[in-house]
Amino acid sequence: MQNSKHLTREQVQDYDRKAMEEKGIPGMILMENAGRSCAEKCIELAGGKPDFSAVVFAGGGNNGGDGFVAARHLNLCGAEVSVMLAADETKISGDAGENLKIIKKMGLPVHNVLDAEKIREMIYNSDVIIDAMLGTGFSGSLREPLKGIISMINDAGKKVLAVDIPSGMNCNTGEVEDIAVKAETTVTFVARKKGFAADDDADYTGMVTVAGIGG
């Protein structure tokens, strides 16, 4: 179900809680639906056919998990996909951890973002970049290596899809303290986020698509 309202960070968390606890929908299903929607939009962004290369920058939380699911679906459709981890792999757990295990068993290339030259290589050799680093829970200032990664993404001139919200943007206010991903399109879940109403939000979100995730 899609919601016409703008959701705050707290409302997003409450939605997920109700979907899992009250409706009995496993988190893996919510993540699967979210990631699949991103993969479908990514193919559309790339021209409608999966004959392209993509790199997924994934964080350690559920946003990263959505990215892992998107990577799997793109791979199954025939796209060439690599994943760059913007988090300590040993600390990625829960549903995100399970989806990371799946794509590794599938043989998808998974790299660590501490290798700056590898980051640059993957960005410039890809047709589409998927930003799945930071979700609606983020607030405050970015740290390295994320600031540097986002700067490289923004400077690359590639097509960029943000998962739920551009990394670096505050969900509730739309504020960007340092830098945020500038996406061509954002696939956000359930409803637009409150911060998207900020005056310059489109500079970061691009065109926003609202996708249901089954709750």
Side-chain angles (χ1 to χ4, degrees), residues 131-142:
D131 163 31
M133 290 182 286
L134 298 171
T136 56
F138 169 78
S139 63
S141 299
L142 288 168

mmCIF file with all atom_site columns, all heavy atoms in Angstrom, residues 131-142:
data_model
loop_
_atom_site.group_PDB
_atom_site.id
_atom_site.type_symbol
_atom_site.label_atom_id
_atom_site.label_alt_id
_atom_site.label_comp_id
_atom_site.label_asym_id
_atom_site.label_entity_id
_atom_site.label_seq_id
_atom_site.pdbx_PDB_ins_code
_atom_site.Cartn_x
_atom_site.Cartn_y
_atom_site.Cartn_z
_atom_site.occupancy
_atom_site.B_iso_or_equiv
_atom_site.pdbx_formal_charge
_atom_site.auth_seq_id
_atom_site.auth_comp_id
_atom_site.auth_asym_id
_atom_site.auth_atom_id
_atom_site.pdbx_PDB_model_num
ATOM 1  N N   . ASP A 1 131 ? 22.856 3.856  -5.023 1.00 0.00 ? 131 ASP A N   1
ATOM 2  C CA  . ASP A 1 131 ? 23.233 4.337  -3.695 1.00 0.00 ? 131 ASP A CA  1
ATOM 3  C C   . ASP A 1 131 ? 22.356 3.671  -2.649 1.00 0.00 ? 131 ASP A C   1
ATOM 4  O O   . ASP A 1 131 ? 21.195 4.008  -2.486 1.00 0.00 ? 131 ASP A O   1
ATOM 5  C CB  . ASP A 1 131 ? 23.067 5.858  -3.636 1.00 0.00 ? 131 ASP A CB  1
ATOM 6  C CG  . ASP A 1 131 ? 23.046 6.397  -2.210 1.00 0.00 ? 131 ASP A CG  1
ATOM 7  O OD1 . ASP A 1 131 ? 23.714 5.793  -1.346 1.00 0.00 ? 131 ASP A OD1 1
ATOM 8  O OD2 . ASP A 1 131 ? 22.355 7.410  -1.971 1.00 0.00 ? 131 ASP A OD2 1
ATOM 9  N N   . ALA A 1 132 ? 22.933 2.703  -1.929 1.00 0.00 ? 132 ALA A N   1
ATOM 10 C CA  . ALA A 1 132 ? 22.223 2.008  -0.858 1.00 0.00 ? 132 ALA A CA  1
ATOM 11 C C   . ALA A 1 132 ? 23.068 2.045  0.413  1.00 0.00 ? 132 ALA A C   1
ATOM 12 O O   . ALA A 1 132 ? 23.167 1.074  1.154  1.00 0.00 ? 132 ALA A O   1
ATOM 13 C CB  . ALA A 1 132 ? 21.933 0.557  -1.256 1.00 0.00 ? 132 ALA A CB  1
ATOM 14 N N   . MET A 1 133 ? 23.689 3.204  0.661  1.00 0.00 ? 133 MET A N   1
ATOM 15 C CA  . MET A 1 133 ? 24.611 3.305  1.790  1.00 0.00 ? 133 MET A CA  1
ATOM 16 C C   . MET A 1 133 ? 23.926 3.695  3.094  1.00 0.00 ? 133 MET A C   1
ATOM 17 O O   . MET A 1 133 ? 24.096 3.041  4.126  1.00 0.00 ? 133 MET A O   1
ATOM 18 C CB  . MET A 1 133 ? 25.721 4.305  1.443  1.00 0.00 ? 133 MET A CB  1
ATOM 19 C CG  . MET A 1 133 ? 26.667 3.802  0.373  1.00 0.00 ? 133 MET A CG  1
ATOM 20 S SD  . MET A 1 133 ? 28.022 4.965  -0.011 1.00 0.00 ? 133 MET A SD  1
ATOM 21 C CE  . MET A 1 133 ? 27.156 6.230  -0.950 1.00 0.00 ? 133 MET A CE  1
ATOM 22 N N   . LEU A 1 134 ? 23.172 4.802  3.073  1.00 0.00 ? 134 LEU A N   1
ATOM 23 C CA  . LEU A 1 134 ? 22.558 5.309  4.291  1.00 0.00 ? 134 LEU A CA  1
ATOM 24 C C   . LEU A 1 134 ? 21.061 5.478  4.065  1.00 0.00 ? 134 LEU A C   1
ATOM 25 O O   . LEU A 1 134 ? 20.642 6.036  3.059  1.00 0.00 ? 134 LEU A O   1
ATOM 26 C CB  . LEU A 1 134 ? 23.168 6.649  4.693  1.00 0.00 ? 134 LEU A CB  1
ATOM 27 C CG  . LEU A 1 134 ? 24.657 6.640  5.014  1.00 0.00 ? 134 LEU A CG  1
ATOM 28 C CD1 . LEU A 1 134 ? 25.160 8.075  5.172  1.00 0.00 ? 134 LEU A CD1 1
ATOM 29 C CD2 . LEU A 1 134 ? 24.935 5.840  6.278  1.00 0.00 ? 134 LEU A CD2 1
ATOM 30 N N   . GLY A 1 135 ? 20.264 5.023  5.015  1.00 0.00 ? 135 GLY A N   1
ATOM 31 C CA  . GLY A 1 135 ? 18.819 5.103  4.875  1.00 0.00 ? 135 GLY A CA  1
ATOM 32 C C   . GLY A 1 135 ? 18.206 6.243  5.661  1.00 0.00 ? 135 GLY A C   1
ATOM 33 O O   . GLY A 1 135 ? 18.855 7.248  5.971  1.00 0.00 ? 135 GLY A O   1
ATOM 34 N N   . THR A 1 136 ? 16.946 6.082  6.011  1.00 0.00 ? 136 THR A N   1
ATOM 35 C CA  . THR A 1 136 ? 16.197 7.135  6.697  1.00 0.00 ? 136 THR A CA  1
ATOM 36 C C   . THR A 1 136 ? 16.677 7.363  8.129  1.00 0.00 ? 136 THR A C   1
ATOM 37 O O   . THR A 1 136 ? 16.367 8.389  8.727  1.00 0.00 ? 136 THR A O   1
ATOM 38 C CB  . THR A 1 136 ? 14.706 6.800  6.724  1.00 0.00 ? 136 THR A CB  1
ATOM 39 O OG1 . THR A 1 136 ? 14.513 5.515  7.344  1.00 0.00 ? 136 THR A OG1 1
ATOM 40 C CG2 . THR A 1 136 ? 14.125 6.765  5.312  1.00 0.00 ? 136 THR A CG2 1
ATOM 41 N N   . GLY A 1 137 ? 17.435 6.437  8.686  1.00 0.00 ? 137 GLY A N   1
ATOM 42 C CA  . GLY A 1 137 ? 17.915 6.595  10.054 1.00 0.00 ? 137 GLY A CA  1
ATOM 43 C C   . GLY A 1 137 ? 19.079 7.559  10.194 1.00 0.00 ? 137 GLY A C   1
ATOM 44 O O   . GLY A 1 137 ? 19.436 7.946  11.310 1.00 0.00 ? 137 GLY A O   1
ATOM 45 N N   . PHE A 1 138 ? 19.661 7.979  9.087  1.00 0.00 ? 138 PHE A N   1
ATOM 46 C CA  . PHE A 1 138 ? 20.837 8.848  9.161  1.00 0.00 ? 138 PHE A CA  1
ATOM 47 C C   . PHE A 1 138 ? 20.484 10.271 9.578  1.00 0.00 ? 138 PHE A C   1
ATOM 48 O O   . PHE A 1 138 ? 19.488 10.846 9.139  1.00 0.00 ? 138 PHE A O   1
ATOM 49 C CB  . PHE A 1 138 ? 21.548 8.903  7.799  1.00 0.00 ? 138 PHE A CB  1
ATOM 50 C CG  . PHE A 1 138 ? 22.604 9.964  7.733  1.00 0.00 ? 138 PHE A CG  1
ATOM 51 C CD1 . PHE A 1 138 ? 23.843 9.766  8.318  1.00 0.00 ? 138 PHE A CD1 1
ATOM 52 C CD2 . PHE A 1 138 ? 22.348 11.187 7.117  1.00 0.00 ? 138 PHE A CD2 1
ATOM 53 C CE1 . PHE A 1 138 ? 24.815 10.759 8.278  1.00 0.00 ? 138 PHE A CE1 1
ATOM 54 C CE2 . PHE A 1 138 ? 23.312 12.181 7.065  1.00 0.00 ? 138 PHE A CE2 1
ATOM 55 C CZ  . PHE A 1 138 ? 24.556 11.959 7.657  1.00 0.00 ? 138 PHE A CZ  1
ATOM 56 N N   . SER A 1 139 ? 21.343 10.845 10.413 1.00 0.00 ? 139 SER A N   1
ATOM 57 C CA  . SER A 1 139 ? 21.285 12.275 10.730 1.00 0.00 ? 139 SER A CA  1
ATOM 58 C C   . SER A 1 139 ? 22.685 12.697 11.160 1.00 0.00 ? 139 SER A C   1
ATOM 59 O O   . SER A 1 139 ? 23.502 11.869 11.549 1.00 0.00 ? 139 SER A O   1
ATOM 60 C CB  . SER A 1 139 ? 20.275 12.563 11.847 1.00 0.00 ? 139 SER A CB  1
ATOM 61 O OG  . SER A 1 139 ? 20.660 11.929 13.047 1.00 0.00 ? 139 SER A OG  1
ATOM 62 N N   . GLY A 1 140 ? 22.952 13.994 11.085 1.00 0.00 ? 140 GLY A N   1
ATOM 63 C CA  . GLY A 1 140 ? 24.255 14.486 11.511 1.00 0.00 ? 140 GLY A CA  1
ATOM 64 C C   . GLY A 1 140 ? 25.227 14.649 10.371 1.00 0.00 ? 140 GLY A C   1
ATOM 65 O O   . GLY A 1 140 ? 24.845 14.909 9.234  1.00 0.00 ? 140 GLY A O   1
ATOM 66 N N   . SER A 1 141 ? 26.512 14.477 10.677 1.00 0.00 ? 141 SER A N   1
ATOM 67 C CA  . SER A 1 141 ? 27.573 14.701 9.705  1.00 0.00 ? 141 SER A CA  1
ATOM 68 C C   . SER A 1 141 ? 28.129 13.384 9.191  1.00 0.00 ? 141 SER A C   1
ATOM 69 O O   . SER A 1 141 ? 28.201 12.394 9.927  1.00 0.00 ? 141 SER A O   1
ATOM 70 C CB  . SER A 1 141 ? 28.708 15.506 10.336 1.00 0.00 ? 141 SER A CB  1
ATOM 71 O OG  . SER A 1 141 ? 28.246 16.768 10.774 1.00 0.00 ? 141 SER A OG  1
ATOM 72 N N   . LEU A 1 142 ? 28.514 13.390 7.950  1.00 0.00 ? 142 LEU A N   1
ATOM 73 C CA  . LEU A 1 142 ? 29.127 12.212 7.347  1.00 0.00 ? 142 LEU A CA  1
ATOM 74 C C   . LEU A 1 142 ? 30.591 12.097 7.752  1.00 0.00 ? 142 LEU A C   1
ATOM 75 O O   . LEU A 1 142 ? 31.253 13.084 8.026  1.00 0.00 ? 142 LEU A O   1
ATOM 76 C CB  . LEU A 1 142 ? 29.046 12.304 5.822  1.00 0.00 ? 142 LEU A CB  1
ATOM 77 C CG  . LEU A 1 142 ? 27.679 12.104 5.181  1.00 0.00 ? 142 LEU A CG  1
ATOM 78 C CD1 . LEU A 1 142 ? 27.743 12.529 3.725  1.00 0.00 ? 142 LEU A CD1 1
ATOM 79 C CD2 . LEU A 1 142 ? 27.245 10.657 5.298  1.00 0.00 ? 142 LEU A CD2 1
#
